[in-house]
Amino acid sequence: MRFGLSWALAALFAALVPASAQAPAAPCSADGACTVASGGYRIVLPPSSAADGKIGAIFFFHGYGGSAGETVSDANLTAVAHRLGVALIAPDGLDRSWSFPGSPSRNRDEFSFVTQVLEDVMARFHVDPRRIMASGFSQGGSMVWYLACRMPQRFAAFAPIAGDFWQPVPESCAGPRPNLIHFHGLADTTIPLAGRVLRSGARQGDLFRSLAVLAPGSCTASWEADVRKAGQPEGLACRRARGCGGDALLELCLHAGGHFVDAAWVERAWHAAMPAAPVLAHGGGLTSP
């Protein structure tokens, strides 16, 4: 699976009018398009839900030039969500781009937008707030890094692909340290491991500096031997940071290719980093396996 290389106005009305005076969000359309104050998103629900009606969800942020519609139309990604029994949620970037710190785009406050989408999803659908993973490709992958830094408690895990912090790289991140698995190609020239300067003057960051910001200290200086998992996608070499303290997972998965995304990586990240779904106890209550 490949997504189009990824880099319409911010809702001025939402910025100027108090939230209490704003009209309620319109209902989602038949094709899964939903609106919030600052933009929109699309959602694909699984064929069946968990025993308590609550389901997990994957938020996938498209790359520059992509869209939410293209994301939910990707057969491989939707197949992964269906196999996992989770919702696929695709936020829409304004002007097909994301406006995180360092980005060439300055369209809206993305952290406010993501908060709006999260709250709207909770209100409309039976999504378990404890079982949401954020993933994304290219510029969307960088968006995931900033969510892991700014909003680590709103997601259970993060799986950015081929995108990390841009310069200036944050000096520190909010706690607690999240579960994060990063995927990147050694031959990626669009967003190289060391980053690059764009014609606009914007500067991509260095992946290893990004990892050090997310988990400061000696843990990112030492990585375990290749982590092999049953069913791991072919061509991945994954190493886990050690000595970080706590239970949070920090893993780096590299492949020999360039700038692309494979839906199997998203599935691997879910199995490796997400908490298990609750199950029914004998008395009918919910418990953890």
Side-chain angles (χ1 to χ4, degrees):
M1 176 187 81
R2 293 175 185 263
F3 279 54
L5 179 60
S6 284
W7 277 101
L9 294 177
L12 181 61
F13 178 79
L16 298 178
V17 180
S20 59
Q22 295 176 23
C28 299
S29 66
D31 65 356
C34 307
T35 59
V36 295
S38 298
Y41 67 94
R42 289 179 181 265
I43 183 168
V44 177
L45 295 170
S48 59
S49 60
D52 65 341
K54 292 287 188 180
I55 56 174
I58 296 171
F59 271 61
F60 196 92
F61 293 80
H62 62 75
Y64 176 75
S67 71
E70 292 169 358
T71 299
V72 298
S73 295
D74 188 278
N76 293 322
L77 193 57
T78 54
V80 164
H82 285 345
R83 278 198 300 274
L84 296 173
V86 304
L88 174 62
I89 299 169
D92 230 341
L94 289 183
D95 291 337
R96 294 177 172 259
S97 184
W98 300 105
S99 302
F100 49 77
S103 168
S105 302
R106 295 289 186 272
N107 292 330
R108 67 180 169 197
D109 180 343
E110 301 291 15
F111 305 107
S112 175
F113 168 62
V114 171
T115 298
Q116 292 168 19
V117 174
L118 283 166
E119 292 176 352
D120 195 68
V121 166
M122 297 304 118
R124 295 185 195 269
F125 307 102
H126 296 290
V127 170
D128 187 343
R130 301 165 300 174
R131 300 185 63 242
I132 303 176
M133 183 176 81
S135 185
F137 170 60
S138 193
Q139 199 194 26
S142 293
M143 184 68 210
V144 172
W145 269 89
Y146 284 96
L147 291 174
C149 187
R150 295 278 193 93
M151 302 169 60
Q153 294 179 302
R154 298 304 301 267
F155 297 88
F158 300 85
I161 300 168
D164 52 2
F165 289 137
W166 288 45
Q167 295 191 38
V169 174
E171 294 184 2
S172 62
C173 289
R177 186 169 64 80
N179 291 329
L180 184 141
I181 301 177
H182 181 89
F183 300 85
H184 217 116
L186 293 171
D188 193 333
T189 57
T190 301
I191 302 185
L193 293 176
R196 65 186 177 103
V197 180
L198 304 184
R199 284 179 293 180
S200 65
R203 296 174 296 162
Q204 300 165 351
D206 179 282
L207 173 60
F208 291 96
R209 285 190 60 195
S210 297
L211 289 166
V213 171
L214 193 65
S218 60
C219 75
T220 52
S222 180
W223 297 81
E224 292 181 358
D226 191 18
V227 179
R228 295 288 179 179
K229 295 184 178 298
Q232 175 161 303
E234 184 178 354
L236 281 183
C238 299
R239 294 179 181 271
R240 184 172 299 175
R242 60 185 179 185
C244 297
D247 298 325
L249 172 71
L250 180 61
E251 198 165 289
L252 174 62
C253 292
L254 299 175
H255 60 88
H259 194 67
F260 68 93
V261 54
D262 189 329
W265 304 341
V266 179
E267 188 168 11
R268 182 199 182 281
W270 180 276
H271 286 304
M274 290 295 294
V279 297
L280 283 174
H282 292 297
L286 288 167
T287 184
S288 297

